[in-house]
Amino acid sequence: MTIMETLPNRPSGRPREFDRDAALDAAMRLFWRRGYEGVSFQQLTATLGVAAASLYAAFGNKAALYREALDRYAQLRGELCMDEASTLREAVHLLLDDTARGLVDPNGEIGCMLNTGMIVSHTDLAQELVQRRSAFRTLLAEKLLNWVTAPDADRLSRYITAVIQGLAIQARDGYSLDELQQAVTLALNAVPATTPLARL
């Protein structure tokens, strides 16, 4: 991934311009692949091809860069593709199948940055990831209100989130898309084949 861009008509010997967006994308993919604690600041500067001073000036410290990388990841993978479903089970299938495909998409990195980027740590960032995962579950519960009551949406969102987190770990362990989709099919057996109750 290119993160340095040569401006047109630049005199020879003049330094290249730092491309912040491209650097953020490259950092996101590095964190996504190796996790927060698996990436050193030295690895970041080497991967992005910039001096530490430029990286500090653009993003601050490693934790601040990671937060921005999480935001960029959410932009790429944060949409819940459920709105076109006519039944609860169809909605859950759309979400889980899309998740499975995304976890092993060759255009991205294996796994889920939100669920596997930092599991055990005593840093503030670890707590922030807990909050981000909780926010995802809350959003999912709100979506499920299209088909079920609030108590059922809360319970079902916890179950679906657990399935998604399991899929993310299995993707990291090398499971194929077909194997992930088999797990999705079995998981759907626990989802009631209901009419959209909240729309009646």
Side-chain angles (χ1 to χ4, degrees):
M1 177 177 293
T2 301
I3 63 162
M4 305 293 285
E5 183 178 272
T6 303
L7 294 176
N9 301 321
R10 174 181 293 130
S12 60
R14 188 174 176 180
R16 293 176 293 175
E17 181 178 319
F18 176 69
D19 187 334
R20 191 181 191 281
D21 286 339
L24 180 57
D25 284 338
M28 175 197 70
R29 292 186 71 113
L30 190 61
F31 283 130
W32 186 354
R33 188 183 317 128
R34 300 183 181 178
Y36 178 77
E37 294 176 348
V39 177
S40 68
F41 206 83
Q42 290 73 23
Q43 288 173 319
L44 285 168
T45 56
T47 298
L48 306 184
V50 297
S54 297
L55 206 57
Y56 277 115
F59 300 104
N61 58 22
K62 176 184 167 183
L65 174 55
Y66 186 68
R67 289 187 176 96
E68 286 202 46
L70 284 170
D71 290 339
R72 178 62 61 90
Y73 178 82
Q75 292 172 1
L76 292 176
R77 294 292 174 89
E79 185 177 355
L80 302 183
C81 54
M82 305 169 69
D83 293 337
E84 295 183 1
S86 58
T87 67
L88 172 62
R89 185 171 289 176
E90 181 186 359
V92 176
H93 180 258
L94 286 173
L95 173 63
L96 293 181
D97 187 69
D98 183 68
T99 297
R101 293 177 184 276
L103 289 171
V104 294
D105 184 353
N107 293 318
E109 301 294 338
I110 297 298
C112 173
M113 188 175 172
L114 187 62
N115 286 311
T116 60
M118 181 186 295
I119 302 297
V120 179
S121 178
H122 299 291
T123 68
D124 291 340
L125 273 176
Q127 184 57 39
E128 183 173 324
L129 277 172
V130 171
Q131 295 169 355
R132 286 175 182 256
R133 288 191 288 267
S134 178
F136 171 84
R137 191 191 67 77
T138 298
L139 176 61
L140 175 57
E142 291 173 355
K143 288 280 190 179
L144 291 169
L145 289 174
N146 287 316
W147 297 277
V148 296
T149 62
D152 286 340
D154 184 66
R155 287 190 289 267
L156 190 55
S157 67
R158 293 180 189 277
Y159 169 72
I160 295 171
T161 301
V163 172
I164 289 173
Q165 290 169 346
L167 292 173
I169 296 295
Q170 290 187 336
R172 283 281 192 179
D173 286 347
Y175 283 56
S176 67
L177 175 59
D178 182 64
E179 289 170 323
L180 296 180
Q181 289 176 323
Q182 289 177 32
V184 167
T185 298
L186 291 174
L188 287 173
N189 291 333
V191 179
T194 64
T195 55
L197 299 180
R199 295 175 180 171
L200 295 179

